[in-house]
Amino acid sequence: MGERQHDDPNLTTDSHHDMLATVVGSKEMASDLMVYSYRHGFSGFAAKLTESQAQQIAELPGVVQVIPNSLHKLQTTRTWDFLGLSSHPTNNVLHKSKMGDGVIIGVLDSGIWPESKSFNEEGLGPVPSRWNGVCKSGDKFNATAHCNRKVIGARWYIDGFLAEYGKPFNTSEDEEYLSARDANGHGSHTASTISGSVVGNVSDRGLAPGTARGGAPHARLAIYKVCWSIFGGQCAGADILKAFDDAIHDGVDVLSLSIGSSIPLFSDVDQRDGIATGSFHAVARGIVVVCAASNDGPSAYSIQNTAPWILTVAASTIDRAFPTPITLGNNETLLGQAVFSGKEIGFTGLVYPEATGLDPNAAGMCHDLSLNNTNAAGKVVLCFNSLPQRAATIPALQVVRAAGGVGLIVAKNPVDILSPCGGDFPCIEVDYEIGTRILFYFRSTRSPLVKLSPSRTFVGKAVSPKVAYFSARGPNSIAPAILKPDITAPGVHILAASNDPSIDGGYVMRSGTSMSTPHISGIVALLKALHPNWSPAAVKSALITTAWQTAPSGLPLFAEGTPQKLANPFDFGGGFVNPNGAADPGLVYDMGTTDYIHYLCSMAYDNSAISHLTGHSIVCPSRKPSILDINLPSITIPSLRNSITVTRTVTNVGASTSSYKAVIEVPSGTNVSVKPDVLAFNFAVKKISFTVTISTTQKVNTGFYFGSLTWTNGVHAVRIPLSVRTEQSFAV
């Protein structure tokens, strides 16, 4: 229903009930059918309606749009040291920001396991006085006992999901809680990664041992449970919108959502995408919204949460590995990777099932493993995985266990995310080269033997981080000129709190962009504590323009795929997050609501749709503005034919008097010039605009080429990625 018509939210809700009553016949019926009243970020409501009732409401004055409900999906000990946020030095942003003290982070996820040590309040002062939220009791969640000075708010939203689910919700059968308590473990993991308190001596079955904590351990958490442990984790759009609405009212500074939908995406103004809609209103009120890129990589155009007002996070590995020795009967030891902490499997038989006929290797493929004619009891089985995903490991494991096998070696395209097989059963992954060496040994002897040793934890520069195989990639399928993802952060084998205290004291490793997102949310909390007046766009710019392009070893970052390749902006956006650099970026590319409306107009969305989204009456200029001139900390040109000039504006957030010079890394096949190429700031000049002209003489269609524009003053290097694809038109 657009912008709120009343300052009093209760009057807004009353008007919603009155409107619904005119269609359904009575206020009593309206109360039964009303799911949510949205009354803080915008005016609107969710209700259970028939098609004809929905049509009647759509025709009422004051109603700008009626949309159906939709469902979304859920997408540590080492990482903070790796990112330069060690608790020991006192000159990093962790200490300068007082560990995020005073910042409130809202987490839209599957809830929280309040007994976890990660959520204790030790060392924290009073709850910030500006907090307007509540802690809501429910099934096995007592507000008095389970909220504290760390977890200061807890709400849960299920009515939108139930309306879509269409049948009674059996909490015992579905292993859920009608409260903010986490039955999935996903929400506890993300919340503790963002702002978990310091907990010593934790590990996942002895692996990745150390001290666990969140990125901003003194920040406060507000929990909004919108995801339910059904079909792997489902989150309804109506529930997400209501959580956004409440979070805006409650006074959060940051919102973290490890949630996505699916390809093809809804448009930015289609309110079935509750995340794009809710985040627009949150960002308009100064709240930074951090979202997962999704786990649909490494295919191009797989990125989600693409709106330019969202901070979209890809996932990378860190400098940690879990080498697992495989010793063959000829005493040759090879190294695989696994999460295996059980007892050593002493020398036992090695099996590789070989078929007869035209394809002798068919029986040994992991996704179609056949042990019908092979005695695998008490033995270790080797298989080869030709599929691009990890899914083949699970059926192979089931076949091996059913046959009485004691271990599985999977030869596959090398990626760093591992498939834990549950319990102490070893599933060791090797690349095709090592897998072939094991196979050749198997074929060379009548009685092949193998020994499997437990995994070890190794950290250091010898292990180079990479963009994870699963991490979704650009270009952006809605608007290729808007670079996505924005940034990458650790998201592979992240150790954090779980919902099962019986497993290693309640800590477990998980992987996904769901795990990288809370890393950025925690870092954003530190930046907001240090720079409370920075806009969401300024925070995003600081992260992108200071990101690392290389691993700690100084070598370029790679992106996992088939095959691996050098990472580019469609893999990692600005690069690998550099928290200490982001605290002092020098210059920022700032934006506000006017810039986002410029974007919406450049997308040729109609005025009515834009007005629906923003809650204000919007009339776009008759001449469509250029999407290339949106003040992003990146320049992406999906179709360069001759020459294009774009404009950017930078704001000085460093020393008042400073001078920056342009340094250009030119994308192949193009010419790039910047005017002016020197920017001089002083007490009177805080903002300066400049133009970038990119031209090409190539008369062919190409893929994207990449470069960069860096403003440097000898102290700061403010870098933005350039991504250019030349394209020629053809007469038809």
Side-chain angles (χ1 to χ4, degrees), residues 687-701:
K687 294 187 176 186
I688 298 177
S689 296
F690 61 90
T691 61
V692 181
T693 300
I694 304 176
S695 60
T696 182
T697 58
Q698 295 192 89
K699 299 301 180 184
V700 294
N701 290 345

Side-chain angles (χ1 to χ4, degrees), residues 453-502:
S453 302
S455 305
R456 304 164 185 170
T457 302
F458 181 87
V459 297
K461 288 185 178 181
V463 183
S464 184
K466 308 175 189 71
V467 177
Y469 185 92
F470 58 78
S471 186
R473 313 296 166 91
N476 175 345
S477 62
I478 292 179
I482 305 297
L483 178 64
K484 291 289 177 174
D486 293 306
I487 197 79
T488 193
V492 176
H493 302 309
I494 304 303
L495 186 68
S498 76
N499 65 326
D500 189 348
S502 68

Side-chain angles (χ1 to χ4, degrees), residues 245-309:
D245 192 48
D246 284 340
I248 291 169
H249 166 267
D250 293 347
V252 304
D253 303 296
V254 184
L255 280 168
S256 185
L257 291 85
S258 293
I259 301 171
S261 52
S262 59
I263 301 291
L265 303 175
F266 293 117
S267 77
D268 302 289
V269 295
D270 189 324
Q271 296 188 25
R272 283 175 290 183
D273 184 352
I275 295 175
T277 302
S279 62
F280 181 91
H281 292 280
V283 169
R285 287 160 178 80
I287 301 168
V288 183
V289 180
V290 187
C291 293
S294 94
N295 299 332
D296 294 333
S299 300
Y301 295 98
S302 55
I303 193 84
Q304 298 179 25
N305 292 317
T306 59
W309 48 86

Side-chain angles (χ1 to χ4, degrees), residues 46 183 204 258 292 297 365 373 385 389 414 418 442 464 597 617 644 688 704:
D204 184 336
S258 293
M365 303 309 292
N373 300 315
N385 181 13
Q389 299 292 338
L418 306 172
F442 168 81
S464 184
I597 293 172
S617 178
I644 287 177
I688 298 177
F704 278 92

